[in-house]
Amino acid sequence: MAKPKHPVALWFAVIAGTLVTAFMTVLLFTQPAIDRVGNPQNYTQIYQRPVIEPWGVHPLEFYVEDSLANMTLEQKIRSLIMANQPGTDPASLQSFVSSNELGGFIVMGSNVPETPAELTGITTAIAGSAELPRLIGIDEEGGLIKRLPYDNFPGADTLRNEPVSSTLTAFTSRGELLKSVGVNLNFGVVADVSNDPQSFIYGRSFGADAAATAERVVAAVTGEDSSVMSTIKHFPGHGSAPGDSHIGVPTSPLTYDQWLSTDAIPFQAGIDAGSSMVMFGHLAFPAVDSLPSSLSPLWHKILREEMGFTGVIITDDMTMIEHSRLPEYENRVTNAVSALAAGNDVLLYVPGPDFDPGAIVAGVSAAVQSGQISQEQLDDSVRRVLTLRRELFPEANSWMPPCDERCFIRVTY
């Protein structure tokens, strides 16, 4: 017969077991209820909301990876398209973005009604779910380029001659205005350097030299960042490439080393300031690569590896390169495949009223299946775009995932 346990040891085991049971009971019944889509409820029942990291993964990353795993190839490709349709009817625009499962919508002048309240009605209709809002962008530079008639804040044509603090003030106010009407992404920070008054981009550039431009780019990104996500454009730089990229592919004479000491400086400053997006221009730098920069794997590698940009890369309007008068860029589907293969994350289209992304989706899908675009590269782009969209959800960093076998690996308070 086994020897009886010592009474002190027995009591210690009983007390320890009781404490563990009590702790687990409190932990179980103080967790907020989880509804069927994974939203925490009854927050007032707990003193401090825990952060649960399934498999050691942050809630935002968990959501993105879980969403990515449940998307079809077609859905992934559609999520990388941002497009426009003219008109101000909220129901019609909502149908356009929803039926095409687009990742974003760009607001153009044709979408802007008379009052801010009416525009808010449109952006609300096309916003998508609260947990994964759609990207709603706009070209709101101020000055020469603006979509909102009630944006009375100065643009680069004025700010280039004023103290840097004026740029900070203007873009802080502009960001607040955009947020108030439901826009969450601005394509408004021109990082191009131009000292030629005859240049297409001169009146939209912040400075006549790289240092002056860089200071104002930082101020603009910093100013609007508290309200909307910021984009710097037109990488690698339009200032040294004369001509209008809406009707051609402007060419720059700069070598790579010359570019590093001039046009690159404001873009690096904007990246370091925290810009969420970089927009590629349809520009040629033959001394670096014969391809237009928007279709160049080399220029995308420079942006990622040399400049350290980890955010979302978006093309300028892809219909522009179609209209470049160069026959090799007339095919919309071929251009889309080339742009994604080069390293762009989002394809931007301002196409007119009959835009159907179906052909683009089919072409890109075939390119992925053939290996022209790797599945890994496509997933990386989708992951970056989903992350950006998820960050628009106020509770993205404290959201509690639905509980399954991956849950409760690590709980921190």
Side-chain angles (χ1 to χ4, degrees):
M1 184 173 67
K3 184 178 179 180
K5 292 183 178 179
H6 192 283
V8 174
L10 183 60
W11 276 108
F12 180 83
V14 171
I15 293 171
T18 302
L19 289 174
V20 169
T21 301
F23 173 78
M24 294 304 293
T25 300
V26 170
L27 182 63
L28 177 64
F29 287 99
T30 58
Q31 296 302 318
I34 304 296
D35 68 16
R36 63 185 179 86
V37 294
N39 295 316
Q41 305 293 329
N42 303 322
Y43 301 144
T44 57
Q45 294 180 5
I46 58 175
Y47 173 71
Q48 184 177 2
R49 186 175 180 185
V51 175
I52 299 178
E53 299 190 7
W55 297 101
V57 177
H58 188 276
L60 191 154
E61 185 178 346
F62 178 94
Y63 180 91
V64 168
E65 294 300 328
D66 198 53
S67 299
L68 182 65
N70 288 285
M71 295 173 74
T72 65
L73 176 59
E74 180 176 319
Q75 287 173 325
K76 291 176 182 179
I77 297 167
R78 289 179 180 275
S79 76
L80 303 182
I81 297 175
M82 173 180 280
N84 172 265
Q85 280 288 276
T88 56
D89 177 54
S92 176
L93 295 176
Q94 193 276 335
S95 176
F96 169 71
V97 294
S98 297
S99 62
N100 289 303
E101 298 183 88
L102 301 183
F105 184 89
I106 177 171
V107 175
M108 300 298 290
S110 66
N111 306 121
V112 179
E114 291 186 4
T115 68
E118 289 175 295
L119 178 56
T120 302
I122 292 173
T123 57
T124 300
I126 65 177
S129 72
E131 287 207 334
L132 191 65
R134 186 170 283 111
L135 297 176
I136 302 177
I138 193 170
D139 290 307
E140 196 66 23
E141 301 172 15
L144 300 179
I145 303 295
K146 63 180 184 178
R147 311 299 182 206
L148 307 184
Y150 33 82
D151 176 1
N152 298 313
F153 309 108
D157 55 331
T158 298
L159 296 170
R160 64 189 289 141
N161 299 314
E162 295 190 359
V164 176
S165 59
S166 297
T167 300
L168 178 65
T169 300
F171 274 79
T172 299
S173 300
R174 181 165 291 117
E176 292 170 350
L177 172 61
L178 293 177
K179 183 178 181 180
S180 73
V181 294
V183 172
N184 54 40
L185 171 65
N186 191 19
F187 304 128
V189 183
V190 175
D192 307 301
V193 180
S194 179
N195 56 11
D196 178 9
Q198 303 305 312
S199 170
F200 165 77
I201 205 71
Y202 178 81
R204 298 164 60 189
S205 170
F206 280 119
D209 62 79
T213 303
E215 289 181 319
R216 287 161 179 80
V217 165
V218 170
V221 170
T222 302
E224 67 183 7
D225 188 58
S226 61
S227 299
V228 297
M229 296 179 292
S230 189
T231 306
I232 51 177
K233 62 183 186 182
H234 308 80
F235 189 83
H238 209 316
S240 62
D244 186 347
S245 56
H246 291 84
I247 55 175
V249 178
T251 300
S252 169
L254 297 184
T255 66
Y256 180 67
D257 287 340
Q258 290 171 330
W259 175 80
L260 279 176
S261 63
T262 53
D263 290 24
I265 293 173
F267 286 100
Q268 187 67 68
I271 290 168
D272 294 342
S275 181
S276 299
M277 273 193 180
V278 171
M279 176 182 283
F280 261 80
H282 303 303
L283 312 166
F285 286 69
V288 181
D289 191 348
S290 60
L291 291 171
S293 53
S294 54
L295 306 181
S296 164
L298 177 57
W299 273 115
H300 287 78
K301 182 178 181 181
I302 290 169
L303 180 61
R304 292 288 188 202
E305 298 183 9
E306 301 300 324
M307 305 185 75
F309 182 65
T310 60
V312 172
I313 299 175
I314 186 170
T315 68
D316 204 344
D317 175 17
M318 290 293 290
T319 67
M320 291 164 58
I321 198 167
E322 291 175 26
H323 301 147
S324 65
R325 302 172 184 168
L326 298 173
E328 60 266 41
Y329 304 123
E330 290 178 351
N331 188 286
R332 176 169 293 179
V333 175
T334 301
N335 291 340
V337 170
S338 298
L340 290 177
N344 294 286
D345 298 312
V346 178
L347 303 172
L348 180 66
Y349 291 93
V350 185
D354 299 319
F355 179 65
D356 179 4
I360 295 171
V361 173
V364 174
S365 179
V368 173
Q369 292 167 350
S370 70
Q372 185 177 354
I373 300 172
S374 73
Q375 184 69 60
E376 180 182 9
Q377 180 181 346
L378 182 76
D379 285 352
D380 283 344
S381 289
V382 176
R383 188 176 286 112
R384 280 189 283 266
V385 173
L386 288 178
T387 298
L388 197 64
R389 292 172 61 185
R390 179 63 173 175
E391 287 174 344
L392 294 167
F393 177 50
E395 298 177 23
N397 293 317
S398 56
W399 167 80
M400 294 181 66
C403 194
D404 58 22
E405 69 276 4
R406 296 168 293 179
C407 287
F408 303 101
I409 299 302
R410 184 170 73 194
V411 181
T412 56
Y413 287 86

